[in-house]
Amino acid sequence: MAMKQGDNSTRRVTILGSTGSIGRSTVDLIAREPERFPVEALTAQRNVALLAEQALALNAKLAVIGDDSLLPELRQRLAGSGIETAGGSRAITEAAARPAEWVMAAIVGAAGLEPTLAAVRRGAIVALANKETLVCAGALVIREAALHGATILPVDSEHNAIFQVFDFDAAEKIDRVILTASGGPFRTLSLGEMREVTPAQAIAHPVWSMGAKISVDSATLMNKGLELIEASFLFPVPEERIEILIHPQSVIHSLVSYVDGSVLAQLGTPDMRTPIAVTLAWPGRMPTPAARLDLAAIAKLTFEVPDSARFPAINLARQALQTGGAAPTILNAANEVAVDAFLNGRIGFLDITRIVEQTLARVPSGALDSLDAVRMADGDARRYAAHLIDPAGDDRVVQMQTRGRGRA
């Protein structure tokens, strides 16, 4: 159901990953207009207390906890409320398939792919905050969206900014797409200094409030690499015309350059409730509590080119995108394994991109024509990355060999 600007028609919603940073921001917006946005389902992986609190506050029809060992606690917390409960990964996918017109896909990592596909396959409006969905299976997801009449709206601030100023009816008139990056907390550090950084330092982002994994991706600039891949699927612009520019103030969220020399940009304060609201009210607009931009107070906006020697992740992502097939899936899987190892003190900060690079070089990249093929490539990459982190952790020597990726 499309809403016109100023239209207060209702839109039933589901939030996949409601207890994460994007999920909480979405809940905040919906709680301000609950009659306009009735809630079909909320899902979370382990934060059962917050999930129950959200479900009660929004009068959700269903609450799902991914860790099914926590289902008894969820049931206890929601006893007498009339809210349905379920647990496990399959239940999350089933929640995504329920009749909500708008679905926030905010589950972090490759775990968000299957439930996001479930929402796409029933033709929903999917607000995509899970960049790994397109990184792991972009061609498959875009194909399924076209087949089932789904609408994919980007939530990442950069892609949402491009979406707002990209003329899809005149895509051939677009010269370049420019993704901006804050540069993360280590933008000015030397390689030697970066070698010594801790997980606590890596998750302390200077501008945005995000979860641990996304914050580490921002610190390595892998988030920009993933966003580069995502942009190549969202917008009809070839990879070589998608650029990345460091912009520490995070005021200009991205830019689109046209052939006549015009450059259109979307600006705003760094508050994820703005891009979420763009998708929630699309194609209209809705008010948000985000602070209004005061350029005079900011006074100065600065820009710089990313340093590929200190931050090789962007070039690794370009390499994966140029290789095609399963390479972006391999990149993402190796990065998830490496980031988890770093957060748990098993490897150093600079080891993250080293492990990704070695996994990309070693694991074969076949065609991705089904969800099973995605799972196979993802699993191969995770096993090899884990072997690089702890060669003694498995008695078997990891042997990767080229093999066909079968259809589901």
Side-chain angles (χ1 to χ4, degrees):
M1 175 179 63
M3 293 193 294
K4 298 177 181 178
Q5 190 156 350
D7 186 1
N8 288 321
S9 300
T10 62
R11 173 173 280 172
R12 182 162 290 277
V13 305
T14 284
I15 307 175
L16 305 175
S18 67
T19 62
S21 60
I22 295 294
R24 293 194 302 272
S25 292
T26 307
V27 167
D28 177 79
L29 289 174
I30 291 170
R32 296 169 189 273
E33 298 188 54
E35 297 82 10
R36 185 179 176 188
F37 302 110
V39 175
E40 179 68 26
L42 301 175
T43 81
Q45 183 59 28
R46 289 191 53 82
N47 195 339
V48 65
L50 181 55
L51 175 64
E53 178 185 321
Q54 292 173 335
L56 289 168
L58 298 178
N59 193 30
K61 283 191 173 183
L62 170 69
V64 180
I65 191 74
D67 183 343
D68 54 10
S69 70
L70 297 171
L71 181 56
E73 182 181 350
L74 179 63
R75 285 175 173 161
Q76 181 180 18
R77 289 177 177 273
L78 296 178
S81 67
I83 298 172
E84 299 173 53
T85 58
S89 58
R90 177 172 293 184
I92 291 178
T93 300
E94 290 170 353
R98 286 172 69 117
E101 295 150 302
W102 183 92
V103 177
M104 168 56 75
I107 297 173
V108 174
L113 173 58
E114 194 160 349
T116 301
L117 264 178
V120 165
R121 284 170 171 163
R122 63 174 180 78
I125 298 169
V126 178
L128 189 62
N130 170 277
K131 61 174 62 71
E132 292 85 359
T133 290
L134 290 185
V135 172
C136 292
L140 174 64
V141 172
I142 297 301
R143 184 187 74 198
E144 292 295 299
L147 181 64
H148 297 283
T151 300
I152 297 177
L153 302 176
V155 172
D156 272 352
S157 61
E158 297 82 1
H159 299 103
N160 189 271
I162 295 167
F163 174 76
Q164 292 189 59
V165 297
F166 194 102
D167 188 347
F168 286 90
D169 293 328
E172 73 282 0
K173 304 299 183 185
I174 290 170
D175 178 51
R176 292 176 300 149
V177 164
I178 304 166
L179 293 163
T180 58
S182 70
F186 309 136
R187 179 175 59 88
T188 62
L189 297 190
S190 68
L191 276 172
E193 290 170 325
M194 290 166 68
R195 190 170 286 112
E196 304 300 323
V197 301
T198 67
Q201 291 171 318
I203 63 176
H205 195 279
V207 179
W208 295 94
S209 176
M210 306 179 292
K213 193 268 181 183
I214 299 173
S215 295
V216 174
D217 283 348
S218 179
T220 62
L221 291 194
M222 182 60 79
N223 69 322
K224 287 305 126 177
L226 299 179
E227 288 169 13
L228 168 70
I229 297 171
E230 188 180 8
S232 74
F233 289 108
L234 287 169
F235 307 106
V237 176
E239 169 267 325
E240 64 271 16
R241 286 174 23 212
I242 304 173
E243 300 180 2
I244 293 171
L245 189 64
I246 303 297
H247 170 48
Q249 294 81 16
S250 295
V251 170
I252 298 176
H253 298 306
S254 278
L255 311 93
V256 175
S257 175
Y258 287 81
V259 294
D260 61 5
S262 298
V263 179
L264 305 186
Q266 187 268 341
L267 288 71
T269 54
D271 189 325
M272 285 306 299
R273 289 175 295 185
T274 297
I276 294 168
V278 169
T279 69
L280 186 57
W282 178 86
R285 296 276 181 175
M286 63 182 288
T288 77
R292 285 353 188 205
L293 184 62
D294 186 343
L295 288 173
I298 295 169
K300 183 171 69 172
L301 301 178
T302 61
F303 307 91
E304 59 193 71
V305 175
D307 181 346
S308 60
R310 289 184 300 129
F311 299 100
I314 294 173
N315 284 345
L316 290 175
R318 284 198 187 277
Q319 173 191 328
L321 188 54
Q322 291 164 359
T323 300
T329 310
I330 293 165
L331 172 99
N332 179 73
N335 181 63
E336 288 191 12
V337 171
V339 169
D340 182 72
F342 168 68
L343 287 171
N344 285 287
R346 299 172 60 209
I347 62 173
F349 180 75
L350 295 182
D351 292 324
I352 297 173
T353 49
R354 175 186 62 80
I355 288 164
V356 173
E357 182 176 17
Q358 292 179 6
T359 305
L360 268 176
R362 187 66 181 87
V363 179
S365 174
L368 293 186
D369 53 9
S370 69
L371 190 55
D372 282 346
V374 174
R375 293 191 187 106
M376 187 180 295
D378 180 87
D380 283 351
R382 288 176 190 276
R383 284 188 292 274
Y384 192 75
H387 174 73
L388 290 174
I389 292 166
D390 184 12
D394 193 330
D395 291 336
R396 298 170 298 171
V397 176
V398 178
Q399 298 289 341
M400 296 298 168
Q401 55 187 357
T402 304
R403 58 189 180 189
R405 307 295 184 186
R407 295 182 183 273

